[in-house]
Amino acid sequence: MSSPPFPPFPARSNAFHQYVDCKNWIGGRWQDASTGRSQPVHNPRHDRALGLVPLSGAADVEAAAAAARAALPGWRDTPLKERAQVLYRLKALIERDLDELGWLVAHENGKTFEEGKGSVLKGVECLEFGASIPNMAAGSGLDVSRGIKCELSYEPLGVVAGITPFNFPFMVPLWMIPQALVAGNTFILKPSERVPYGSMKLASLLDEAGLPPGVFNVVHGAQAAVEGIVDHPAIKAVGFVGSTRVARLLYARGSALGKSMLCLGGAKNHLLVVPDADLELTATTLAASAFGCAGQRCMAASVMIAVGDVQPIIDATVAITRKIRLGLDMGPVISRAAVERITRYIGEAEARGAKVLVDGRGAAVDGEPGYWFGPTLLDHVTPDMPAGCEEIFGPVLSIIRVRTLDEALAIENQSPYGNAAAIFTQSGATARYCLERFEAGMCGVNVGVPVPREPFAFGGWNDSKFGVGDLTGWDGYRFWTRPRKVTSRWAQQRDMTWMS
Ligand code: NAD
């Protein structure tokens, strides 16, 4: 018997609401962490704690792994089509609770309600893909000789795990869970300790959707919980989404233990703008990409490379940026430390000659004493300034000015990251020239956030991803499975060996 559902989140506005403390979800029951340690989860708009999140250790990972192992045979032997039915029911429950989930994401992460709701719906798209897998997963078979057939099928790995970042509390777990569960694995999620509530609701909704206890588990915590997961011998594969520093470390650690690791990292995304770009579309799209979700998206535009004379487009972007209403159109960033980090980047760039066209430093919102930073445009940045080459992860768009398209491409190409890149132009030839040369896994033409829609898979290149394949779409199914090849002979031709 499962524990009662996680209590509904009551807020339907940005006014502060205290919530309950988080617990681990293991074997269909809410459980305290064995360490007895916890930390507050802050509402970034109000700088106040919503509740506490436990900081689990290796013993809690062990308990989750034991529950996931115990649930594995029953779930693996449940027919694929029945496993997918749980995802259909989950989709209906998410749609039923969409407003609650949108507000929950807004309160724990700082997004606006619309952004929160949009991120939940984006997660639902991934769920739809996972639910459709039975229609595509038939595998393949061939008569390779008289009476001999070879068949290929994709089998679950066993117990697998996902580790997720703070910026999309509900959506990023749904990049992994649908494919992993529908494939017949059992799952342990370690969400970001800064936004643990989305995963609590997900556990509760999966339970309500009829997922058997132990098939999905949540272990809260930070580094110790993550290392416990990566090192646990029963956990066969780990999907990670977060910063490049941690992605690189965990990829190496898990791979050395022989696990399948797919670790998505940070980004520095370049949008190239040439003089024939459409003025209004480009300026609006640049601002939306850089400042949506307060710039805390791994696909956010962080560098505009202005090729030649695009001053009218820069002026229009300044005008649009100045109209963004902090608190209404754009939320706070995740923490006080983030405000300080972003402030440092701007000060450093200014000291080295960059010009601040729109300054978000010192921004405030009446009655909401949270972690505010206004949208910021920095002009005359050079590629060697930290603001020109490092991930800031806040609402800052750096403008680098160059004379030619090849100079722009050279700057984009020398970035160690490779998540997204886009070209803004009305020329098909210019677009094609760039698309053939970008060092990025997800590219756009006149699109500011070129996130591929399912079934096109999500994943970058270079230091934005460690591992083979992408995390969503069909690649995700491949990642969470292993191919089995079966050769059978039923015809009684005893005089022939299979090799004859
Ligand atoms: P983060 O790397 O600090 O944390 C991600 C996860 O790793 C969290 O669950 C955290 O608890 C854990 N963690 C943190 N430090 C650890 C350590 N030393 N050892 C083991 N585990 C550790 O990332 P974040 O600040 O939560 O998220 C923002 C970052 O995520 C940005 O760099 C952003 O670009 C990136 N991101 C990338 C993608 C992508 O698809 N490439 C998507 C979303 C976010």
Side-chain angles (χ1 to χ4, degrees):
M1 254 287 278
S2 299
S3 294
F6 202 67
F9 184 60
R12 291 296 178 274
S13 75
N14 285 318
F16 180 76
H17 260 278
Q18 190 105 35
Y19 199 21
V20 293
D21 295 338
C22 293
K23 287 185 184 284
N24 289 335
W25 173 254
I26 296 177
R29 298 168 61 82
W30 304 114
Q31 298 189 15
D32 291 321
S34 63
T35 57
R37 293 178 57 228
S38 61
Q39 70 178 42
V41 180
H42 290 288
N43 174 323
R45 216 173 242 271
H46 294 277
D47 186 22
R48 282 176 68 187
L50 285 156
L52 295 174
V53 60
L55 294 174
S56 308
D60 304 297
V61 174
E62 177 53 46
R69 244 182 319 195
L72 185 63
W75 183 243
R76 196 184 44 206
D77 295 345
T78 302
L80 176 62
K81 278 189 87 113
E82 276 178 44
R83 295 196 297 254
Q85 292 308 313
V86 176
L87 300 186
Y88 283 111
R89 293 196 290 272
L90 176 64
K91 173 174 148 66
L93 295 173
I94 292 175
E95 285 164 352
R96 179 195 71 189
D97 293 350
L98 188 56
D99 278 5
E100 180 192 340
L101 292 166
W103 282 115
L104 182 59
V105 171
H107 280 245
E108 66 174 341
N109 167 276
K111 291 188 200 309
T112 65
F113 168 63
E114 289 304 329
E115 288 171 346
K117 206 161 81 164
S119 73
V120 173
L121 287 171
K122 185 72 196 149
V124 169
E125 253 184 42
C126 300
L127 204 49
E128 285 167 355
F129 178 77
S132 68
I133 282 176
N135 296 323
M136 303 181 283
S140 51
L142 190 67
D143 289 328
V144 291
S145 186
R146 280 189 189 83
I148 309 273
K149 183 157 193 150
C150 278
E151 286 160 289
L152 169 70
S153 62
Y154 290 94
E155 303 293 326
L157 294 167
V159 180
V160 298
I163 297 158
T164 52
F166 80 81
N167 61 331
F168 284 96
F170 202 78
M171 181 187 86
V172 173
L174 286 176
W175 283 0
M176 309 184 201
I177 292 162
Q179 283 95 323
L181 290 188
V182 93
N185 300 289
T186 55
F187 200 93
I188 301 171
L189 174 65
K190 205 301 288 174
S192 166
E193 63 279 23
R194 293 189 270 184
V195 294
Y197 287 105
S199 304
M200 299 280 74
K201 295 305 292 188
L202 197 51
S204 208
L205 293 175
L206 275 165
D207 189 49
E208 193 180 342
L211 193 71
V215 175
F216 177 71
N217 307 275
V218 180
V219 174
H220 292 290
Q223 187 171 349
V226 171
E227 290 176 354
I229 286 173
V230 173
D231 294 350
H232 197 289
I235 298 173
K236 302 298 180 201
V238 179
F240 171 89
V241 181
S243 60
T244 288
R245 183 182 67 83
V246 182
R248 193 196 303 272
L249 276 172
L250 296 183
Y251 179 75
R253 189 171 179 139
S255 302
L257 294 168
K259 303 193 179 207
S260 298
M261 301 292 295
L262 187 52
C263 300
L264 274 50
K268 188 79 179 169
N269 304 315
H270 299 79
L271 304 194
L272 278 54
V273 179
V274 298
D276 78 356
D278 181 275
L279 184 141
E280 202 184 320
L281 177 133
T282 305
T284 317
T285 308
L286 276 174
S289 173
F291 307 129
C293 299
Q296 298 175 128
R297 289 189 287 198
C298 66
M299 293 294 282
S302 46
V303 177
M304 166 191 184
I305 309 190
V307 184
D309 180 12
V310 294
Q311 193 58 43
I313 296 177
I314 293 176
D315 292 342
T317 310
V318 169
I320 293 166
T321 304
R322 289 213 169 105
K323 285 194 195 132
I324 294 173
R325 296 160 306 170
L326 200 57
L328 287 174
D329 306 321
M330 199 181 107
V333 294
I334 190 68
S335 63
R336 182 83 57 216
V339 174
E340 286 160 11
R341 186 189 67 236
I342 301 163
T343 308
R344 258 197 321 274
Y345 272 108
I346 294 170
E348 244 166 30
E350 211 177 8
R352 290 177 59 176
K355 193 170 164 216
V356 185
L357 299 180
V358 183
D359 195 347
R361 287 173 292 191
V365 171
D366 265 358
E368 294 181 348
Y371 316 133
W372 297 103
F373 203 100
T376 298
L377 275 176
L378 271 180
D379 199 0
H380 298 290
V381 173
T382 54
D384 59 333
M385 290 180 191
C389 59
E390 293 175 13
E391 182 176 45
I392 301 177
F393 220 56
V396 180
L397 182 63
S398 302
I399 303 172
I400 297 179
R401 295 183 182 241
V402 298
R403 279 165 305 158
T404 67
L405 201 54
D406 285 332
E407 277 177 74
L409 284 165
I411 292 168
E412 191 277 336
N413 286 179
Q414 80 193 24
S415 169
Y417 297 105
N419 229 30
I423 168 74
F424 285 76
T425 181
Q426 296 189 61
S427 152
T430 303
R432 187 145 200 95
Y433 188 79
C434 291
L435 290 176
E436 284 168 355
R437 288 164 178 78
F438 281 146
E439 272 294 322
M442 294 175 277
C443 298
V445 177
N446 299 317
V447 171
V449 184
V451 173
R453 294 252 157 165
E454 297 302 297
F456 299 98
F458 190 100
W461 289 359
N462 306 330
D463 285 359
S464 293
K465 191 189 71 186
F466 302 86
V468 176
D470 287 332
L471 195 49
T472 73
W474 192 245
D475 272 17
Y477 188 68
R478 288 273 173 88
F479 177 67
W480 299 112
T481 54
R482 48 190 169 169
R484 190 201 297 281
K485 287 73 61 181
V486 175
T487 306
S488 14
R489 175 173 62 193
W490 292 107
Q492 300 301 308
Q493 294 161 292
R494 294 178 203 284
D495 55 333
M496 288 173 86
T497 68
W498 136 235
M499 297 302 256
S500 63

